Amino acid sequence: MAILVTGGAGYIGSHTVLTLLERGDDVVVIDNLSNASRTSLDRVAELTGRVPTVYIADVLDRQALKIIFADHNITDVIHFAGLKSVSESINEPLAYYQNNVTGTLVLLDEMQAAGVNRFIFSSSATVYGDPQSVPLSEHSRTGGTTNPYGTSKLMVEQILADFSRAQPDFRITCLRYFNPVGAHPSGRIGEDPNGIPNNLVPYISQVAIGKLETVSVYGNDYPTPDGTGVRDYIHVMDLATGHLAALDCQNKGAAYKVINLGTGVGYSVINLIEAFEKAAQTKINYQFVNRRPGDIAECWSDPSLAYKELGWKAVYTLDEMMRDTWNWQKNNPNGYSI
Ligand code: NAD
Ligand code: WQD
């Protein structure tokens, strides 16, 4: 019996693969390495003393999926594979719909052909668009996404809801992540963005290590306590345990579930910079600039359904998130490249 993890060499995938291997599950990974390094999984093997089976292949490749399902007794699929850059999705919408939507359709089709019917999908708080109020519960309105990335996540959720109605034997959980940050406490695996980071925490850590000069804080006139944007940052190791909890509860409750994975606490950009300064014992240069188009003031979760349905809650503090990000950054100044 094995769990198939698509996108398992990536940031959240590699931490989840590690956590699965640590508890004794067998893991098969499919990843096309379009946004990851094979080294992440070598390090997972080094940390756990166990080796996942790895296929360097695309989820759009039906033949590769057929081989995987034929050669392994897969019971569950965790589907991380996809493209995730908001700005890139605006310039390359077809690539985003192809990878994120068609990729999921092909995978579901091949799961069905192979008789595998337990599926966990990486969704995102982005499906809530610009929230009418916070905290966001799973009943909050979705829609109003402002970029193809966000729309692709919403489309897949809708496809999964329809598919579940037609195929009641399937067990499907959509996990809506808030803002993943942090790294494994060993400092051996972490987030390794290509080029200049778009996201706040990788940007701050590259300023701390001296690769970038100054953090541009996008807006200080939001209706938030200090005027900067507020988000629900969640440690990637908490996300990993959230996936294990979802796997364990896949046969309980409704056949189709949608669950937030967040901490329930919102922090501002300035809170993050200050927490990082404490962790890295260094000053982070920053300057206020205009708001970033498409950004929202606040986004944080009501995480109570995850506790009720999965018995899971996030345990890492903001200081621990920044400590582990810094530990990863300082030990791997160039990420997985030497
Ligand atoms: P990531 O880019 O590090 O991981 C995605 C992995 O999928 C990469 O290893 C990439 O090489 C692989 N991949 C992409 N397209 C593929 C394809 N067609 N076939 C096979 N492999 C493919 O991203 P991540 O941060 O680990 O995110 C994982 C998932 O979680 C994504 O679906 C993302 O949209 C979602 N998500 C991420 C965040 C975030 O901020 N990191 C927030 C919410 C949701
Ligand atoms: C966080 C806060 C910015 C960079 C994005 C996606 C979302 C999800 C997670 C996948 C905001 C501010 C940022 C910078 C800044 N991904 N900021 N200077 O925008 O909440 O979410 O990643 O599903 O879909 O949209 O994350 O880290 O980019 O920004 O001031 O250089 O930091 O304005 O308030 P975001 P982020």
Side-chain angles (χ1 to χ4, degrees):
M1 290 201 324
I3 317 288
L4 176 62
V5 181
T6 76
Y11 172 44
I12 307 169
S14 57
H15 290 78
T16 304
V17 169
L18 174 139
T19 311
L20 287 165
L21 290 171
E22 269 181 343
R23 77 162 186 186
D25 287 340
D26 289 328
V27 178
V28 177
V29 169
I30 175 170
D31 197 304
N32 66 3
L33 300 186
S34 59
N35 195 39
S37 161
R38 181 71 177 75
T39 308
S40 65
L41 292 171
D42 296 340
R43 293 194 181 176
V44 163
E46 158 206 306
L47 287 166
T48 60
R50 299 190 60 218
V51 181
T53 305
V54 181
Y55 291 82
I56 306 301
D58 201 295
V59 291
L60 287 153
D61 180 348
R62 283 182 184 277
Q63 210 43 48
L65 292 174
K66 283 187 198 302
I67 290 170
I68 292 171
F69 286 121
D71 286 359
H72 303 273
N73 181 12
I74 307 287
T75 55
D76 294 81
V77 176
I78 308 180
H79 183 35
F80 292 109
L83 302 178
K84 66 162 179 178
S85 159
V86 168
S87 54
E88 189 180 63
S89 78
I90 293 167
N91 296 323
E92 295 173 42
L94 298 187
Y96 274 69
Y97 290 120
Q98 177 80 349
N99 270 277
N100 296 2
V101 181
T102 311
T104 308
L105 290 176
V106 169
L107 180 59
L108 288 170
D109 217 23
E110 293 304 325
M111 283 177 66
Q112 228 185 339
V116 178
N117 65 358
R118 290 157 45 105
F119 188 73
I120 295 177
F121 174 62
S122 292
S123 189
S124 167
T126 194
V127 301
Y128 295 115
D130 190 353
Q132 288 169 316
S133 62
V134 277
L136 287 154
S137 88
E138 294 78 356
H139 298 296
S140 299
R141 188 207 59 187
T142 57
T145 50
T146 53
N147 57 78
Y149 168 71
T151 306
S152 75
K153 290 289 170 187
L154 194 57
M155 286 168 81
V156 171
E157 282 200 9
Q158 284 168 348
I159 289 167
L160 290 171
D162 288 341
F163 183 59
S164 171
R165 275 186 285 272
Q167 298 291 332
D169 289 348
F170 256 75
R171 310 291 303 185
I172 297 173
T173 305
C174 294
L175 297 176
R176 291 178 179 160
Y177 318 149
F178 280 67
N179 286 57
V181 298
H184 188 261
S186 65
R188 296 293 290 158
I189 57 171
E191 185 171 13
D192 183 16
N194 272 327
I196 295 178
N198 291 311
N199 295 113
L200 179 64
V201 172
Y203 203 103
I204 296 177
S205 45
Q206 293 200 10
V207 170
I209 200 92
K211 290 175 95 177
L212 296 169
E213 280 283 314
T214 305
V215 179
S216 295
V217 177
Y218 297 138
N220 61 349
D221 57 351
Y222 283 109
T224 59
D226 63 19
T228 67
V230 169
R231 299 289 184 275
D232 185 340
Y233 297 92
I234 176 166
H235 198 294
V236 67
M237 292 305 295
D238 274 332
L239 280 184
T241 60
H243 287 77
L244 269 57
L247 276 178
D248 293 343
C249 295
Q250 196 67 298
N251 283 345
K252 294 190 205 146
Y256 175 72
K257 299 197 264 296
V258 175
I259 298 178
N260 285 340
L261 293 185
T263 64
V265 183
Y267 288 108
S268 74
V269 177
I270 298 300
N271 293 152
L272 267 276
I273 291 175
E274 287 174 356
F276 206 97
E277 286 180 330
K278 197 165 110 189
Q281 290 293 301
T282 186
K283 202 83 202 126
I284 308 286
N285 290 327
Y286 69 87
Q287 61 180 3
F288 294 116
V289 300
N290 288 339
R291 293 180 181 191
R292 181 171 64 179
D295 271 1
I296 54 180
E298 282 192 275
C299 177
W300 45 283
S301 68
D302 170 351
S304 55
L305 188 67
Y307 190 62
K308 190 168 154 228
E309 290 277 338
L310 311 179
W312 170 92
K313 61 176 183 223
V315 296
Y316 284 86
T317 63
L318 181 64
D319 285 345
E320 290 166 336
M321 298 180 214
M322 297 304 105
R323 175 200 69 194
D324 292 340
T325 303
W326 176 236
N327 189 37
W328 156 252
Q329 179 69 69
K330 76 169 188 271
N331 285 307
N332 307 271
N334 298 316
Y336 291 113
S337 332
I338 298 157

